[in-house]
């Protein structure tokens, strides 16, 4: 059972906008920033969004993040086939222990 | 450029120990912690803990306390993760990653940004 809660799956057609939610508590998301990772099959996770809504260099602006209270969301607009991957939310808790969501498998139909 | 290069795959018997290495380059090793994250086959990411490369302070996940030890060798910019009393459910890909920020005597919650390529540890009799 993961500390952060994500839907196990999401899907969309090319060009659509999809969102993935992430729910936590006051001791993690409620008091620290949220990061999102994209994991393509057989590869290490890649930082996609950090500090709730910041994109590292090289990440397309189709990807955006937001946070409100103890929940966060990842939005992907203009969905493309190469976006098919697993997505994980993550945060530090008040004891500086890392917590992850269970992951959301995104399918591009 | 920041790189984390891990040691190769391991096969261990139940009850044995495994030690995975992670060699860092491209940044000041002692300014960051190294986190370890594992992923069982077909499962999600599980945070195992981190070690400050500045002073060796550690912060382990509760469920692994007593079985895991994380160390660093600052002379070679290498971090190590040893897991003892291996069980079949320890079979996973083990990743090292950079973060938190540990410059000085304290560590700060920056995003885990760069990851190693992963090391598959298989526990089987």
């Amino acid at each position: 059972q993961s500390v952060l809660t994500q839907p196990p799956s999401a899907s969309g057609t090319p060009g659509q906008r999809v969102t993935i939610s992430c729910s936590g508590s006051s001791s993690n998301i409620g008091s620290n920033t949220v990061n999102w990772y994209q994991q393509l099959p057989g590869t290490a996770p890649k930082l996609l969004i950090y500090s709730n809504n910041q994109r590292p260099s090289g990440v397309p602006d189709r990807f955006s993040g937001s946070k409100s209270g103890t929940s966060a969301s990842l939005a992907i607009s203009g969905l493309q086939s190469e976006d098919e991957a697993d997505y994980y939310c993550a945060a530090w808790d008040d004891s500086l222990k890392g917590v992850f969501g269970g992951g959301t498998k995104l399918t591009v139909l | 450029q920041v790189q984390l290069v891990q040691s190769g795959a391991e096969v261990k018997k139940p009850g044995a120990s495994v030690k995975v290495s992670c060699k860092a380059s491209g940044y000041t090793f002692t300014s960051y912690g190294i986190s370890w994250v594992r992923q069982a086959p077909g499962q999600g990411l599980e945070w195992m803990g981190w070690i400050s490369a500045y002073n060796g302070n550690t912060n382990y996940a509760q469920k692994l306390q007593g079985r895991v030890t994380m160390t660093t060798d600052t002379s070679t910019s290498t971090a190590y993760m040893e897991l003892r009393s291996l069980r079949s459910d320890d079979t996973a890909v083990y990743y090292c990653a950079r973060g938190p920020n540990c410059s000085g005597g304290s560590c700060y919650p920056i995003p885990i940004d760069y990851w190693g390529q992963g090391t598959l540890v298989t526990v089987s009799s």
Side-chain angles (χ1 to χ4, degrees), chain B residues 12-18 83-87 123:
Chain B
K12 297 292 182 181
K13 294 195 182 303
S17 298
V18 69
L83 190 60
R84 299 176 294 279
S85 302
L86 288 168
R87 310 185 290 245
V123 183

Short mmCIF file of all heavy atoms in Angstrom, two decimals, chain B residues 12-18 83-87 123:
data_model
loop_
_atom_site.label_atom_id
_atom_site.label_comp_id
_atom_site.label_asym_id
_atom_site.label_seq_id
_atom_site.Cartn_x
_atom_site.Cartn_y
_atom_site.Cartn_z
N LYS B 12 21.10 -13.95 -5.61
CA LYS B 12 21.43 -14.35 -4.23
C LYS B 12 20.42 -15.38 -3.73
O LYS B 12 19.27 -15.41 -4.18
CB LYS B 12 21.40 -13.12 -3.30
CG LYS B 12 22.44 -12.06 -3.64
CD LYS B 12 23.84 -12.57 -3.35
CE LYS B 12 24.87 -11.48 -3.64
NZ LYS B 12 26.26 -11.97 -3.39
N LYS B 13 20.87 -16.17 -2.78
CA LYS B 13 19.99 -17.14 -2.13
C LYS B 13 19.32 -16.49 -0.92
O LYS B 13 19.88 -15.55 -0.31
CB LYS B 13 20.78 -18.36 -1.70
CG LYS B 13 21.34 -19.17 -2.87
CD LYS B 13 21.80 -20.54 -2.44
CE LYS B 13 22.40 -21.33 -3.59
NZ LYS B 13 21.43 -21.46 -4.71
N PRO B 14 18.14 -16.97 -0.56
CA PRO B 14 17.47 -16.45 0.64
C PRO B 14 18.39 -16.53 1.85
O PRO B 14 19.11 -17.53 2.04
CB PRO B 14 16.26 -17.36 0.79
CG PRO B 14 15.97 -17.84 -0.58
CD PRO B 14 17.31 -17.98 -1.25
N GLY B 15 18.40 -15.45 2.65
CA GLY B 15 19.25 -15.38 3.83
C GLY B 15 20.58 -14.72 3.59
O GLY B 15 21.27 -14.35 4.56
N ALA B 16 20.97 -14.59 2.33
CA ALA B 16 22.26 -13.97 2.00
C ALA B 16 22.15 -12.45 2.06
O ALA B 16 21.09 -11.88 2.36
CB ALA B 16 22.70 -14.42 0.62
N SER B 17 23.27 -11.79 1.76
CA SER B 17 23.33 -10.33 1.70
C SER B 17 23.74 -9.90 0.31
O SER B 17 24.37 -10.66 -0.44
CB SER B 17 24.35 -9.78 2.71
OG SER B 17 24.00 -10.10 4.03
N VAL B 18 23.40 -8.67 -0.03
CA VAL B 18 23.82 -8.10 -1.31
C VAL B 18 24.30 -6.67 -1.06
O VAL B 18 23.78 -5.98 -0.19
CB VAL B 18 22.67 -8.11 -2.34
CG1 VAL B 18 21.54 -7.14 -1.97
CG2 VAL B 18 23.18 -7.81 -3.74
N LEU B 83 21.88 -4.88 1.74
CA LEU B 83 20.64 -5.44 2.29
C LEU B 83 20.93 -6.87 2.74
O LEU B 83 21.45 -7.68 1.97
CB LEU B 83 19.53 -5.41 1.24
CG LEU B 83 18.12 -5.74 1.71
CD1 LEU B 83 17.64 -4.77 2.78
CD2 LEU B 83 17.15 -5.74 0.53
N ARG B 84 20.58 -7.16 3.98
CA ARG B 84 20.89 -8.46 4.58
C ARG B 84 19.63 -9.30 4.74
O ARG B 84 18.50 -8.82 4.56
CB ARG B 84 21.53 -8.23 5.96
CG ARG B 84 22.84 -7.45 5.92
CD ARG B 84 23.38 -7.19 7.32
NE ARG B 84 22.52 -6.29 8.08
CZ ARG B 84 22.52 -4.95 7.95
NH1 ARG B 84 23.32 -4.37 7.08
NH2 ARG B 84 21.71 -4.21 8.69
N SER B 85 19.85 -10.57 5.07
CA SER B 85 18.74 -11.52 5.31
C SER B 85 17.73 -11.46 4.17
O SER B 85 16.52 -11.27 4.39
CB SER B 85 18.06 -11.20 6.66
OG SER B 85 18.97 -11.26 7.71
N LEU B 86 18.22 -11.61 2.96
CA LEU B 86 17.38 -11.46 1.78
C LEU B 86 16.25 -12.49 1.74
O LEU B 86 16.43 -13.66 2.12
CB LEU B 86 18.24 -11.58 0.52
CG LEU B 86 19.17 -10.39 0.24
CD1 LEU B 86 20.16 -10.73 -0.86
CD2 LEU B 86 18.37 -9.14 -0.11
N ARG B 87 15.10 -12.02 1.26
CA ARG B 87 13.92 -12.86 1.08
C ARG B 87 13.50 -12.77 -0.38
O ARG B 87 13.92 -11.86 -1.11
CB ARG B 87 12.79 -12.38 1.99
CG ARG B 87 13.19 -12.18 3.43
CD ARG B 87 12.00 -11.84 4.29
NE ARG B 87 11.46 -10.50 4.01
CZ ARG B 87 11.48 -9.52 4.87
NH1 ARG B 87 12.06 -9.68 6.07
NH2 ARG B 87 10.94 -8.37 4.59
N VAL B 123 16.47 -12.82 -5.79
CA VAL B 123 16.64 -13.69 -4.63
C VAL B 123 15.88 -14.98 -4.91
O VAL B 123 14.66 -14.98 -5.03
CB VAL B 123 16.12 -13.04 -3.34
CG1 VAL B 123 16.37 -13.95 -2.14
CG2 VAL B 123 16.77 -11.68 -3.14
#
